[in-house]
Amino acid sequence: MCRLIRLRNSHPAFGGEFGCAGGGTTYVAKWVLGAERIELVANVAAGAARLSWTEDGALRSVDDLRDLPG
């Protein structure tokens, strides 16, 4: 949880535009500020999620939020 909070407090995309969509068992939340972005895609039926974000010009992602960098 602390890693997720640090990402939320430090990533510039959270200062940008927010959008969300969903249908069936899938929910998507996205924040975008210029080239910076964060996207959460969750499958609520499967209890699974993928978090993708930009870092130093590269796109990174994790399928398990426990794998977020510290």
Side-chain angles (χ1 to χ4, degrees), residues 8 12-22 27-34 36-41 51:
R8 172 61 183 94
F14 286 110
E17 302 229 356
F18 172 73
C20 62
Y27 173 76
V28 180
K30 186 186 303 187
W31 294 262
V32 178
L33 180 63
E36 301 292 342
R37 59 190 63 245
I38 292 186
E39 181 178 76
L40 174 69
V41 178
L51 183 68

Side-chain angles (χ1 to χ4, degrees), residues 4 6 16 18 21 24 35 44 47 49-51:
L4 191 56
R6 275 194 287 276
F18 172 73
V44 294
R50 171 173 279 239
L51 183 68

Side-chain angles (χ1 to χ4, degrees), residues 24-67:
T25 61
T26 302
Y27 173 76
V28 180
K30 186 186 303 187
W31 294 262
V32 178
L33 180 63
E36 301 292 342
R37 59 190 63 245
I38 292 186
E39 181 178 76
L40 174 69
V41 178
N43 181 324
V44 294
R50 171 173 279 239
L51 183 68
S52 303
W53 69 97
T54 51
E55 184 177 300
D56 298 326
L59 185 64
R60 299 189 58 191
S61 66
V62 294
D63 291 322
D64 186 333
L65 297 180
R66 293 174 292 188
D67 294 333

